[in-house]
Amino acid sequence: MEDTPEMLLGTIVYAVINSVILIMMSIGFNLTFGISGISNFAYGALYIFAAFTTYMLLQMVGLPYPVAVLISIVLTAAIGALMYRFILMRVRGQVLSEVIATFGIGLAILEFFRYLGFVGVEYALPVFIDDSFMIGDVFVDAQRLIIVAASIVIVGLLWLFVHFTSLGLAFRGIAQDERTALTFGMDSDWIATMSVSLGAALAAIAATIIIPLGTISVSQGYDVLINALAVSIIGGLGSTGGVIVASLVVGFAQRFTDTYIGSHWTMIVSLAAILIVLVIKPSGIYGKQKELEERI
Amino acid sequence: MIMIEVQNLMVFFENALALNDFSMKIEEGEIVGVIGSNSAGKTTLMNTLSGLIIDMRTKEKRKGGERITIYGKIIYRGEDISEMSPSDRVKKGIVLSRERHPVFHESSVLENLKIAGYLRKQSEIREGIEYACRLFPALVALKGRKAGFLSGGEQQMLAIGMSLVVRPKLLLLDEPLLGLSPMMQKMLVEAICRLKDEFGTTVLVTEQFARPVLPIIDRGYVIENGMLTLAGTGRELMDNPEIKAAYFGI
Ligand SMILES: Nc1ncnc2c1ncn2[C@@H]1O[C@H](COP(=O)(O)OP(=O)(O)OP(=O)(O)O)[C@@H](O)[C@H]1O
Ligand SMILES: [Mg+2]
């Protein structure tokens, strides 16, 4: 196969899209961690929960698409909040227990869907707009462009939220120095509840825009969790800037390997990226040693 | 009128006694000092008054960590607040500025002040920031600067400024003068007086050395190993030969 300029452009375009998808898949996981130090290993399950909920509301209840999406985002956020209140709160500070508890909840959610028989290609969500465009000579469908546009909007809104709302500023305070934040009247359990809930909502939003590209399957729940973990570890847990940089690194590495080396190398390259970062800078690209511009 | 009364406070970290049968009271509008050397129990007292210790106790319990036990009572304006959460105490006007000038290092000075206004309305935050800048004019020029890049003295001004945005009725200052130059100390001490005179804020301030604060406090308590050893008006303490020897430094 000849390397052509078209092929290069195509690879770059799809690498950007791939990176944006990785950002969306990990931003919520990373945000929760950045604010309250909680690793939510049910993150991938919440992503799938949101997708199946939307599916059911759309196909079985017959609600309009936007309404179904909205309800499922709200429900997912509520599950996040309940998860903190009833389970995480009691083991807060015992990292291993937090991980086991959230991973257990995730397993239960995912395997429950499998048990109910939610398996098969018919479980899919419709694309928002069925159309496609050419970027130069590269063919891109509308859904992928929507993913990119929506992600930019979401990251922008998130930035405004943490810098200009009372709850967002409280997030920044708690993330930096919890005990001092308490002296201004913040309630650490309330803020932690909100952080898990917002993380869950972001998982649901990611599912909403990404799932229409393919089908919904239980195994994706595990893939999303692995991606979120990988990107967050490479970026330096808790840093949004880190998530963006790490997603670009992994996203480009994956696409270029795919095109120029072979798709069976893609997974190896992502794993290698994690290993290299862990060896060179164990705290991640934007890890704590670096003077943190933005942890959330 | 008595604003807050501490009755027979005992605080244990596991089996170590950090505060031992400590009692004190503060009248509305007073400036009260607590003088004690390292590990005398000043911070433990401040954390117990502000309720931070309640939060520490809960967290340690969840983690299965250190056992913190608290005995005794804190009565604030006639109400027993001994078991009240820190956030509820802040809502009642008890605000602590922690030791070692705690500020949010990655946020700008302005953002620090905004974060401090968590419980306040937008308009109140704006007023609070103006108020803090009036008390510490040096903060105005630093508004955009990251708090982590400020000097110790600047951070201390900011830390107190942040407490002011909350609008305290009872302001607890834990070693605000620690590590500051004599000039800076003088400036802060004057600011504390202005707080009382202009806004009627009641202040409890802890210090290791008596010299800079004794002249401005109405009353003071001396604490050693968690126990009250001496109490009196600022004047009485200043004239006490033991205090001179132990807390006036060299
Ligand atoms: N979290 C804790 N766990 C165990 N012991 C503690 C804890 N906090 C304080 N102590 C102990 O309680 C005693 C009082 O400490 P505290 O911090 O109140 O002293 P301090 O007067 O504020 O001292 P400094 O001037 O050094 O700030 C000390 O012996 C200290 O070791
Ligand atoms: Mg102390």
Side-chain angles (χ1 to χ4, degrees), chain A residues 16-31 43-44 47 73 143-144 146-158 198-211 224-225 227-228 231-232 240 243-244 246-248:
Chain A
V16 169
I17 294 167
N18 193 27
S19 305
V20 170
I21 288 175
L22 286 173
I23 292 174
M24 288 321 284
M25 281 185 179
S26 34
I27 199 165
F29 176 88
N30 196 68
L31 186 100
Y43 191 73
Y47 178 95
I73 292 173
Q143 188 66 32
R144 286 192 163 78
I146 290 172
I147 291 176
V148 174
S151 305
I152 293 170
V153 171
I154 289 160
V155 171
L157 286 176
L158 216 51
L198 180 63
L202 286 166
I205 292 171
T208 301
I209 58 175
I210 297 168
I211 291 277
V224 168
L225 177 61
N227 275 325
V231 167
S232 300
T240 296
V243 161
I244 294 172
S247 296
L248 286 167

Side-chain angles (χ1 to χ4, degrees), chain A residues 89 92 94 163 166 169-170 172-173 176-180 182-186 188-189 291-293, chain B residues 52 55-56 59 62-63 87 90 96 98 102 104-107 111 115-116 118-119 146 149 162 166:
Chain A
M89 200 164 108
R92 187 82 196 278
Q94 294 174 268
H163 285 85
S166 167
L169 286 166
R172 277 178 68 71
Q176 293 181 55
D177 182 346
E178 169 152 6
R179 204 169 282 173
T180 298
L182 295 182
T183 64
F184 303 115
M186 293 165 202
S188 77
D189 282 323
E291 191 223 16
L292 291 176
E293 173 64 39
Chain B
L52 276 190
D55 183 77
M56 287 159 70
K59 290 207 170 106
R62 285 178 190 165
K63 276 208 297 219
S87 63
V90 176
L96 166 68
R98 298 177 60 218
F104 301 114
H105 286 238
E106 293 146 36
S107 296
E111 190 169 86
I115 294 175
Y118 177 67
L119 288 179
K146 234 188 224 185
F149 294 148
M162 287 160 77
V166 195

Side-chain angles (χ1 to χ4, degrees), chain B residues 37-44 99-100 174-175 178 206 208:
Chain B
S37 52
N38 281 119
S39 63
K42 303 181 296 294
T43 300
T44 307
E99 65 184 332
R100 290 168 235 285
D174 197 0
E175 295 199 52
L178 187 73
T206 66
Q208 286 202 31

Side-chain angles (χ1 to χ4, degrees), chain A residues 11-12 14-23 25 223 226-228 230-231 234 246-274:
Chain A
T11 310
I12 290 174
Y14 276 85
V16 169
I17 294 167
N18 193 27
S19 305
V20 170
I21 288 175
L22 286 173
I23 292 174
M25 281 185 179
D223 295 343
I226 289 170
N227 275 325
V231 167
I234 294 175
S247 296
L248 286 167
V249 169
V250 176
F252 270 79
Q254 285 179 344
R255 277 303 131 250
F256 273 81
T257 320
D258 215 19
T259 314
Y260 294 98
I261 302 174
S263 59
H264 50 282
W265 285 94
T266 310
M267 205 58 210
I268 311 255
V269 166
S270 322
L271 291 174
I274 298 178

Side-chain angles (χ1 to χ4, degrees), chain A residues 132-172:
Chain A
S132 58
F133 299 90
M134 299 296 287
I135 297 178
D137 292 322
V138 185
F139 183 81
V140 187
D141 54 313
Q143 188 66 32
R144 286 192 163 78
L145 295 180
I146 290 172
I147 291 176
V148 174
S151 305
I152 293 170
V153 171
I154 289 160
V155 171
L157 286 176
L158 216 51
W159 190 87
L160 290 174
F161 170 73
V162 294
H163 285 85
F164 295 102
T165 67
S166 167
L167 181 60
L169 286 166
F171 280 169
R172 277 178 68 71

Side-chain angles (χ1 to χ4, degrees), chain A:
Chain A
M1 192 165 59
E2 276 298 302
D3 289 358
T4 61
E6 293 80 45
M7 200 164 119
L8 178 64
L9 180 65
T11 310
I12 290 174
V13 168
Y14 276 85
V16 169
I17 294 167
N18 193 27
S19 305
V20 170
I21 288 175
L22 286 173
I23 292 174
M24 288 321 284
M25 281 185 179
S26 34
I27 199 165
F29 176 88
N30 196 68
L31 186 100
T32 302
F33 186 87
I35 296 163
S36 47
I38 294 169
S39 319
N40 180 7
F41 275 65
Y43 191 73
L46 291 167
Y47 178 95
I48 293 302
F49 171 85
F52 275 132
T53 305
T54 307
Y55 176 85
M56 287 187 279
L57 293 172
L58 191 65
Q59 306 296 346
M60 301 178 182
V61 183
L63 293 178
Y65 200 179
V67 178
V69 162
L70 209 65
I71 294 178
S72 93
I73 292 173
V74 171
L75 275 179
T76 313
I79 289 191
L82 293 174
M83 227 166 78
Y84 182 80
R85 279 281 141 173
F86 291 102
I87 296 160
L88 281 171
M89 200 164 108
R90 300 177 194 192
V91 294
R92 187 82 196 278
Q94 294 174 268
V95 178
L96 192 59
S97 305
E98 286 175 5
V99 169
I100 292 171
T102 52
F103 193 67
I105 297 166
L107 269 180
I109 294 174
L110 287 174
E111 295 310 318
F112 185 62
F113 279 115
R114 205 198 296 276
Y115 171 77
L116 289 181
F118 281 74
V119 182
V121 287
E122 70 273 26
Y123 295 99
L125 295 176
V127 294
F128 297 176
I129 302 167
D130 194 3
D131 202 348
S132 58
F133 299 90
M134 299 296 287
I135 297 178
D137 292 322
V138 185
F139 183 81
V140 187
D141 54 313
Q143 188 66 32
R144 286 192 163 78
L145 295 180
I146 290 172
I147 291 176
V148 174
S151 305
I152 293 170
V153 171
I154 289 160
V155 171
L157 286 176
L158 216 51
W159 190 87
L160 290 174
F161 170 73
V162 294
H163 285 85
F164 295 102
T165 67
S166 167
L167 181 60
L169 286 166
F171 280 169
R172 277 178 68 71
I174 289 255
Q176 293 181 55
D177 182 346
E178 169 152 6
R179 204 169 282 173
T180 298
L182 295 182
T183 64
F184 303 115
M186 293 165 202
D187 177 313
S188 77
D189 282 323
W190 169 249
I191 302 287
T193 306
M194 288 295 105
S195 80
V196 178
S197 182
L198 180 63
L202 286 166
I205 292 171
T208 301
I209 58 175
I210 297 168
I211 291 277
L213 292 179
T215 59
I216 318 171
S217 70
V218 169
S219 68
Q220 265 174 68
Y222 300 103
D223 295 343
V224 168
L225 177 61
I226 289 170
N227 275 325
L229 275 173
V231 167
S232 300
I233 290 170
I234 294 175
L237 278 162
S239 142
T240 296
V243 161
I244 294 172
V245 173
S247 296
L248 286 167
V249 169
V250 176
F252 270 79
Q254 285 179 344
R255 277 303 131 250
F256 273 81
T257 320
D258 215 19
T259 314
Y260 294 98
I261 302 174
S263 59
H264 50 282
W265 285 94
T266 310
M267 205 58 210
I268 311 255
V269 166
S270 322
L271 291 174
I274 298 178
L275 285 178
I276 292 169
V277 170
L278 286 181
V279 168
I280 296 175
K281 196 154 184 301
S283 61
I285 299 175
Y286 279 84
K288 275 194 186 160
Q289 285 112 310
K290 191 174 178 293
E291 191 223 16
L292 291 176
E293 173 64 39
E294 302 281 312
R295 274 183 66 206
I296 52 173

Side-chain angles (χ1 to χ4, degrees), chain B residues 140-200:
Chain B
V140 179
L142 299 169
K143 265 188 184 170
R145 181 95 58 92
K146 234 188 224 185
F149 294 148
L150 300 180
S151 74
E154 290 164 341
Q155 286 184 353
Q156 186 59 56
M157 287 192 274
L158 175 58
I160 297 178
M162 287 160 77
S163 312
L164 298 182
V165 177
V166 195
R167 305 212 178 179
K169 298 199 173 75
L170 171 60
L171 178 60
L172 310 171
L173 298 172
D174 197 0
E175 295 199 52
L177 307 182
L178 187 73
L180 304 185
S181 69
M183 224 176 69
M184 197 72 198
Q185 292 193 349
K186 192 160 159 278
M187 196 281 264
L188 276 176
V189 165
E190 277 164 15
I192 293 171
C193 290
R194 279 182 61 193
L195 273 177
K196 172 191 165 174
D197 296 341
E198 293 173 29
F199 304 98

